[in-house]
Amino acid sequence: MLELQILDYRFQISEVVIDVASHASALKAHRQSLKNRERNRQYRSRLRNALRDIRTAVDGNNLTAAKTALKQTISLIDKMTTKGVIHRNAAGRYKGRLSARLASRSA
């Protein structure tokens, strides 16, 4: 039984791993998966916050702030799609719904 504690100070990952494969490539793959999971979690959190900010701006009739936030959020969604964090159809759905919501309020 192999017990390994992985600490990565860039992402504050601290996790005790039991029964991980003992060869070097499997250990490296496991370290990479932990870093990728943390980075993806941060991207999803940023997306949820951006979506919430746009929705509150549109619901509060603050259309100028909503339009600027929409550009930034679309850029974030596109980055997440190219990195593989979200699926391209989900990205299109997010962008379409946000644009439609903003267009319905501004009309």
Side-chain angles (χ1 to χ4, degrees), residues 10 20 25 39-40 49 52 88-89 94 96-97:
R10 282 188 2 209
V20 175
S25 62
R39 185 179 62 239
N40 291 343
N49 289 336
R52 186 185 65 228
R88 64 181 183 168
N89 291 350
Y94 284 136
R97 287 180 182 172

Side-chain angles (χ1 to χ4, degrees), residues 7-67:
L7 294 172
D8 187 346
Y9 296 105
R10 282 188 2 209
F11 294 113
Q12 286 84 26
I13 299 172
S14 176
E15 186 171 310
V16 175
V17 180
I18 299 174
D19 290 335
V20 175
S22 58
H23 55 286
S25 62
L27 292 172
K28 181 179 177 181
H30 183 68
R31 286 194 308 268
Q32 289 174 334
S33 71
L34 292 177
K35 288 179 185 179
N36 289 336
R37 184 178 69 192
E38 181 63 23
R39 185 179 62 239
N40 291 343
R41 188 185 63 80
Q42 290 174 359
Y43 271 123
R44 280 191 297 271
S45 177
R46 283 179 58 195
L47 176 66
R48 287 189 204 108
N49 289 336
L51 293 175
R52 186 185 65 228
D53 291 343
I54 288 177
R55 289 179 188 133
T56 56
V58 170
D59 291 341
N61 289 329
N62 190 357
L63 299 180
T64 57
K67 286 180 183 179

